[in-house]
Amino acid sequence: MDEDGPQEVASELEGRQLGGWGLLQIAGCIGLTVYSVWAFVLMPGFRKVPLKLQVPYMPASAKQVNNVMTLLKGRSGKMVDLGSGDGRIVLAAAQRGFCPAVGYELHPWLVRLSYFYAWRSGYHRRVSYLREDLWKVKLQDCGNISIFLAPSVLALLETKMLAELPDDARVVAGRFPLPTWVPSDIIGEGTDRAWAYDLRDIRHAVQTKKVGTEV
């Protein structure tokens, strides 16, 4: 007996109604597929990431991206996303005229995914996604920074940015605020909230506090 081909099987399924057991089988297959992708594709990459940078990957929502762009409205020049994930914030920055627009991400699969999204949008030649440890990234020429990182990383990052960023730089943090810096602007609510920090104001506040403690 000849085996049924794909078309015959599909035709047969169209004439049937899936029962509860069938739905459970489909759900089980989907769950197994998702787990397999995580276990064999994504997880090995995360194991290579230094422990202090192992932040659960959560893509920015459309609202979060819009809030970041709102806080950077009217600005131009280089835009950098530290821990760029799937690259959507960098892509949005390029679409709004920031040049260059650069994302730094350690996970190789997320870098590839970022380029896929950029290619699909027709902006793959206007963005750069680099697989590099953010602690090794030089920030002296970065005027616009976005960060969506865990609180455990932010305190150390404050020190790095304070030492390297130019006075006219603006930093936008999403999901979690920087621990000791006072924001210039805040937008959004809940998990969509974003905080903007102007380096000139931050340095002035740090210097004022330093002088106050010396008196």
Side-chain angles (χ1 to χ4, degrees), residues 71 170 182-187 194-198:
L71 290 174
R170 168 166 275 210
V182 177
S184 303
D185 294 292
I186 302 174
I187 188 173
W195 297 260
Y197 306 86
D198 293 311

Side-chain angles (χ1 to χ4, degrees), residues 145-199:
I145 306 285
S146 67
I147 49 176
F148 278 66
L149 298 172
S152 58
V153 178
L154 297 180
L156 292 173
L157 195 55
E158 279 187 344
T159 302
K160 177 178 174 62
M161 293 190 296
L162 188 62
E164 298 182 15
L165 288 175
D167 279 344
D168 61 350
R170 168 166 275 210
V171 177
V172 178
R175 293 201 185 101
F176 301 103
L178 292 169
T180 67
W181 290 8
V182 177
S184 303
D185 294 292
I186 302 174
I187 188 173
E189 299 293 337
T191 58
D192 293 329
R193 180 169 291 186
W195 297 260
Y197 306 86
D198 293 311
L199 260 293

